[in-house]
Amino acid sequence: MDPVVIPILVAAIVVVFLVAATVRIVPQARRYNIERFGRYRRTLQPGLNFVLPVADRVNTKLDVREQVYSSDPKPVITEDNLVVNIDTVLYYQITDPRAAAYEVADYLHAIDQLTVTTLRNVIGSMDLEGTLTSREEINARLRAVLDDATGKWGIRVNRVEIKAIDPPNTIKEAMEKQMRAERDKRAAILHAEGERQAKILTAEGTKQKDILEAQGTQQAMILRADGESKAVELVFQAVHRNNADAKVLAYKYLETLPHLAQSDNNTFWVIPGELTEAIRTVTTAFGDQASGTAPPPGAQSEDATDADASDKDHVGAPEVEANSTLALDAVAAADEAAKQAAVAVSDAKAEAEAAGETRLPGREQASGD
């Protein structure tokens, strides 16, 4: 081999080595810490960078993206002296590569230990119930402590989450029983509430039904009363239109009296005060007829027969004892009223006959003359 070629090859190899040692290409989201003769020099940014060969070297390569770190379960004692195992998840990001490399030896281990101590301080002031229901509060307090402590390490803690809280098995069984009891309680409450609502709705329906029935009965009574009122008004107008006198009205009044006691539900019958007035009107009517015209002989015999019949009826009617009270015995009151009516009618007929007999001679004398 030519002696000149060998030095050229050696020089080319040396140049290639120097170029390779001088040029550093840093990927995106990466940071390289450069030391010159063992002392921190600078941090290389992403892209093409040049360093001094042999003098400069890369000490640490760091990833500045947000990273996730999941710790192992750690035993923690609560305020009510129960040991629970808690798993945490840490979201962090390197903001200062130099501090992360030179301020702490192992930032992950440091963060893990700081998380455990802070978690024990926080959980130690809570009972088990508060620990299980206050995860947001625990996360906020952990993040505040870790962010303050890791700031000088060039690390920012974005979020801390509690992944799991595992109480002892005995506590789990007790919690399951409690949860089952709570569910049974809620089921019983819901069932009772449903029954209560059903009863309320039933009562409301019954109330509405009674109200509607009462309104219907009221309307029916109003319509019936209205119809009776119109009927009475029509009768009244017909009576006045036909110019009925008091004698006819009194007779109709006496004719209506027997219908008052025909109902089966009548156990007490009050004799109206207008009975005597009606009898007096009928008597006056018979008296007027007797005084106006003399009855024919056949009429006298018929009147006598009627008088005898009324006397028979009077004799056959049941007598009322002197010491009886009409208000206490409806039957006796009815018999007494019938007796008085029969006596009044017979007296009226007798007076009519007497008046006719006294006027007959005068008429005969007038006819003879």
Side-chain angles (χ1 to χ4, degrees):
M1 180 180 291
D2 190 356
V4 180
V5 176
I6 294 175
I8 293 174
L9 292 176
V10 172
I13 292 173
V14 171
V15 170
V16 171
F17 174 76
L18 291 176
V19 171
T22 302
V23 177
R24 289 288 185 270
I25 299 175
V26 180
Q28 184 66 31
R30 300 289 194 277
R31 301 293 188 271
Y32 292 173
N33 289 327
I34 300 299
E35 292 180 352
R36 182 173 292 178
F37 299 112
R39 184 178 181 179
Y40 172 76
R41 178 65 179 174
R42 63 193 177 96
T43 300
L44 300 181
Q45 299 298 322
L48 182 63
N49 296 275
F50 298 96
V51 297
L52 292 177
V54 180
D56 295 341
R57 69 181 184 89
V58 178
N59 182 24
T60 53
K61 298 179 180 180
L62 300 175
D63 191 348
V64 296
R65 294 175 297 178
E66 185 176 6
Q67 301 182 39
V68 181
Y69 175 73
S70 178
S71 63
D72 296 331
K74 300 296 189 298
V76 181
I77 300 176
T78 61
E79 186 181 9
D80 48 357
N81 297 324
L82 292 176
V83 179
V84 294
N85 295 322
I86 300 179
D87 297 344
T88 58
V89 179
L90 181 67
Y91 296 86
Y92 69 94
Q93 186 177 11
I94 297 175
T95 58
D96 189 356
R98 186 196 65 79
Y102 296 103
E103 295 295 335
V104 63
D106 187 356
Y107 60 86
L108 285 179
H109 182 68
I111 292 174
D112 185 33
Q113 295 300 316
L114 183 60
T115 302
V116 172
T117 55
T118 306
L119 191 61
R120 286 176 179 174
N121 292 332
V122 174
I123 300 301
S125 61
M126 298 181 178
D127 56 1
L128 180 60
E129 189 71 20
T131 302
L132 295 175
T133 58
S134 303
R135 293 195 176 190
E136 294 295 331
E137 180 181 356
I138 296 172
N139 295 336
R141 295 176 63 177
L142 282 175
R143 182 183 179 280
V145 173
L146 291 175
D147 195 17
D148 183 52
T150 57
K152 61 181 180 179
W153 298 341
I155 298 173
R156 182 177 69 247
V157 178
N158 296 327
R159 188 168 53 184
V160 180
E161 296 289 342
I162 295 178
K163 183 170 63 176
I165 299 177
D166 296 329
N169 294 328
T170 56
I171 301 300
K172 288 182 180 180
E173 294 176 358
M175 291 173 61
E176 290 178 357
K177 292 180 181 179
Q178 181 181 3
M179 181 175 61
R180 191 178 301 110
E182 288 292 335
R183 290 180 178 176
D184 294 340
K185 175 183 175 181
R186 288 197 297 268
I189 292 174
L190 291 176
H191 182 68
E193 189 68 23
E195 291 183 352
R196 175 174 172 271
Q197 292 294 333
K199 291 181 179 179
I200 290 174
L201 293 176
T202 302
E204 288 291 336
T206 305
K207 176 183 175 182
Q208 294 295 329
K209 175 185 175 183
D210 294 340
I211 291 174
L212 293 176
E213 289 181 353
Q215 291 178 352
T217 304
Q218 179 186 8
Q219 293 295 328
M221 294 177 66
I222 291 174
L223 293 176
R224 190 179 299 109
D226 191 13
E228 293 178 356
S229 174
K230 290 182 179 180
V232 171
E233 183 178 359
L234 292 175
V235 172
F236 182 77
Q237 293 178 358
V239 169
H240 281 273
R241 187 167 53 250
N242 295 327
N243 194 15
D245 55 358
K247 295 177 286 185
V248 176
L249 297 178
Y251 177 75
K252 296 298 292 183
Y253 184 82
L254 291 176
E255 188 181 25
T256 308
L257 287 178
H259 296 283
L260 297 177
Q262 289 182 358
S263 177
D264 297 335
N265 296 325
N266 289 336
T267 57
F268 183 75
W269 185 39
V270 178
I271 300 174
E274 293 83 357
L275 178 62
T276 56
E277 185 68 24
I279 295 174
R280 188 179 295 109
T281 303
V282 174
T283 304
T284 304
F286 278 104
D288 293 341
Q289 289 178 0
S291 61
T293 57
Q300 293 181 0
S301 61
E302 290 178 359
D303 293 339
T305 305
D306 293 338
D308 296 336
S310 62
D311 294 336
K312 291 181 181 181
D313 294 337
H314 174 66
V315 173
E319 296 181 358
V320 181
E321 296 180 0
N323 57 354
S324 63
T325 303
L326 295 178
L328 299 178
D329 193 353
V331 178
D335 294 337
E336 184 67 18
K339 179 179 178 181
Q340 292 178 2
V343 170
V345 172
S346 62
D347 292 340
K349 290 182 178 181
E351 291 177 0
E353 291 176 358
E357 290 177 356
T358 55
R359 291 188 178 186
L360 284 176
R363 288 190 175 183
E364 290 176 355
Q365 184 178 0
S367 62
D369 292 339

